[in-house]
Amino acid sequence: METVINDYISRELVQDPALLPLADDISLLESGILDSLSLLRLVVFLEERFGVTMGDADLLPENFASVNTICAYLRAREPGKQQAPRG
Amino acid sequence: MDDGPARRLLHNVKGMVFSAVLARLPAALGYRIACRRADSLFRCQDEKRTEIAHNLQLVLGNELSPAAVQEATRDWFRLASCDAVDVERLRYGTRPLRRLVEIRGREHLEAALAAGKGAILCTGHFGSHGSGFSVLHASGFPVTSIGRWHHKYLPGLSSAERRFWDLYLGPLRRHRQRPNIEPRPGRPEVAALAASVLRANEVVTIAIDAPPLDSDRARAVQVPFLGHRAGLLPGAVALAQVTGAPLLMSFMYRAADYRHQVLEISAPIPVEGKTATVFERCAAEMSAAIRRSPAHWEFWAKTRDLAVLGLVPAQGDSSPAAGPVLPPPGRSPNDGSKDGVPARGRPVPAARSKRLRLPRA
């Protein structure tokens, strides 16, 4: 999963070649890799590639802080690992 | 000149109360009085009048005669005054305003939504656009707006002023499907939130003429705009390209009687191709709308914003617009200018408006 996501971000979203190769723990927001539209592209990619649907509540910056946190977030959403909805 | 928060607030509260009273009157009378009040402000507010006329001349100088500049300036005051009445009419529900607004091109929006991918309505800070979208929402289209409420972020506003603007803009917030999606630094989820609105097959509105924040300037594209090159953010087009949502233009025009309005919605704009190239088409539509009726554009009174866009030379912080520029709905009812020096000479003759003339209801 890390490789697939890292490849996509490196290929499609990284504008500055100096950031390559992309470390899995680099901050995607602070490094400027993710802005509003690139985050949208990433969300569309993740939904198509991993078959998840992300609602408004999932669009938290901390879920997209790095390749590692994206993977942790996706793994938490795997069947059987999802948190029960609040309320 | 003392322009402290307390005095500014008092001035704005007076403007809001006045507009609220006018909103309770029959429309013909209310909007006529709003125009009279605007004419009085036009004569009294030398500094603001000069600023607007100067900016019109700088940007459209080759296209407008000096008389046309004066006419557009006077009309700018009238439209601002009427826009404030629109907002106050919304305080009593949408029906009082709906009766005065004709939506043209709703078939384009219906066709766009029939594809199931939502629709993006591009506009500018043009006419009573905020109220227009409230009317659109009330007429059955679920509308959510992307945009910043400026009063939340402007430095120099007191907490009382921020509360005032929250109260003033309440009617616009109320008549939306979802809370405003506010782009600001440190909030990268904005486009994804907009995409989720579109995924629900709803309508997203975006003003494409907003001056980019410092943090966004690198993403701005230089496009032909009003005979100049302006740095604008093409996010609306990029959003359409990523989500597949149709992109339509919309403009809210006030009729020559000042109380009836038309919300015009265009056919979808083709979005295939480079983002910047497609965005040029949107900017061209925006330019055409402003040229068609310059007084409808809010930014003539905002020199600093015009400078950020690249339409006028940048000025120092002492420019009239460099202080707290009070926020829209389209325009604030009164932005705190209070140079009470009466204009010399006769008032400018009544505008021979080239704006839309609607059939009387």
Side-chain angles (χ1 to χ4, degrees), chain B residues 31 79 82-83 86 128 253-256 258 260-261 296 355:
Chain B
Y31 285 100
L79 295 178
C82 292
D83 290 356
D86 291 343
S128 196
Y253 291 97
R254 194 173 292 278
Y258 289 96
H260 290 95
Q261 298 181 81
H296 278 78
R355 285 185 281 114

Side-chain angles (χ1 to χ4, degrees), chain A residues 57-71:
Chain A
D58 299 311
L59 299 171
L60 301 172
E62 52 263 37
N63 287 340
F64 300 91
S66 66
V67 172
N68 284 337
T69 59
I70 293 169
C71 293

